[in-house]
Amino acid sequence: MQEALLEVKGLKKYFPIKKGIISRVVANVKAVDGVDFTVKRGETLGLVGESGCGKSTTGRAILRLLEPTEGEVYFEGKDVAKVSKQEMRELRREMQIIFQDPYASLNPRMTVGDIIGEAFDIHGLLKGKEREEKVLELLDVVGLRSQHIRRYPHEFSGGQRQRIGIARALAVNPKLVICDEPVSALDVSIQAQVINLMQELQEQFGLTYMFIAHDLSVVKHISDRVAVMYLGKIVELAGKEELYSSPKHPYTQALLSAIPVPDPEYKRERILLEGDVPSPVNPPSGCRFHTRCREAQPICREVVPEFKDIGGGHYCACHMR
């Protein structure tokens, strides 16, 4: 059995809503409200859900790009949420992120060589000729040419920019890479190229991925296990084959019913969710999904369902399962 590289327990991230002259906190946006999961060494854990459910906030809170409100994040047994700034600086070499928007995540005033090489400067790793040779090696690894080292981000396509972002993430030889919707801003044909590149790099460098996305087809292609998130909570987690063939939570079933099938003769029952996603400022009591669930019972409105193993490592938070 693979050991856990990352273990998340009771992670919460609230954003305060302030009003008045003295900026009094009147409420909180409960973006992430108590999530628990592990990421095993060498695997890819997919994290899916509708826009605004807290996926990206979870990823950033793990890396402390956003300070967690509550909870524990263990990376190789060390609680990331409690380490000092200096220790966190050292840990950042082990944990990196690929951002969603390749246009916004690259400094337009820096050349590609400086963008990738900046990691070596920050951590005091390489200088001079060694630094340039390593940058050229990374460019080659992600499928770019040596002459690109002197160019600026605006001279590249979206797919090429994301390759630069991937090279930057790999510069310090991380163990864990959080991929925050890395292909959602790209054309479909380019998405496939970037996903294939990421799988090759995972094998080559022994990387562990946490892959955040809302495209369920992409997640199935790249992930080993998949966690489904709804309104700040994980409602189901299982191996990808188990989850896609036998989803247990009504929300997961609705999401999977929306995946297009490349067969005009095949008819699949489409599960349409009623109503809008409730506000994370004042989420529903009990099960958060009960306001849109066609199987909801009185207990669902009152009691928060336990996120439990229903067999074979298949976790689900539903009173009906």
Side-chain angles (χ1 to χ4, degrees), residues 12 20 23 30 54 58 85 95 97 102 115 146 173 180 195 198 208 213 221 224 247 267 275 277 315-316:
K12 296 184 180 181
S23 296
K30 297 173 181 177
T58 299
K85 285 188 176 180
M95 304 188 294
I97 185 168
I115 288 168
S146 57
N173 295 320
D180 184 9
I195 289 293
M198 290 177 68
T208 302
H221 181 71
D224 298 302
K267 300 294 181 187
V277 179
Y315 289 82
C316 184

Side-chain angles (χ1 to χ4, degrees), residues 100-116:
Q100 176 178 357
D101 188 355
Y103 298 86
S105 63
L106 303 178
N107 190 330
R109 294 185 177 88
M110 293 172 72
T111 64
V112 168
D114 287 335
I115 288 168
I116 298 171

Side-chain angles (χ1 to χ4, degrees), residues 23-44:
S23 296
R24 185 168 56 91
V25 176
V26 294
N28 285 292
V29 176
K30 297 173 181 177
V32 180
D33 198 13
V35 298
D36 302 87
F37 61 88
T38 59
V39 184
K40 297 170 188 171
R41 195 180 296 274
E43 80 163 345
T44 300

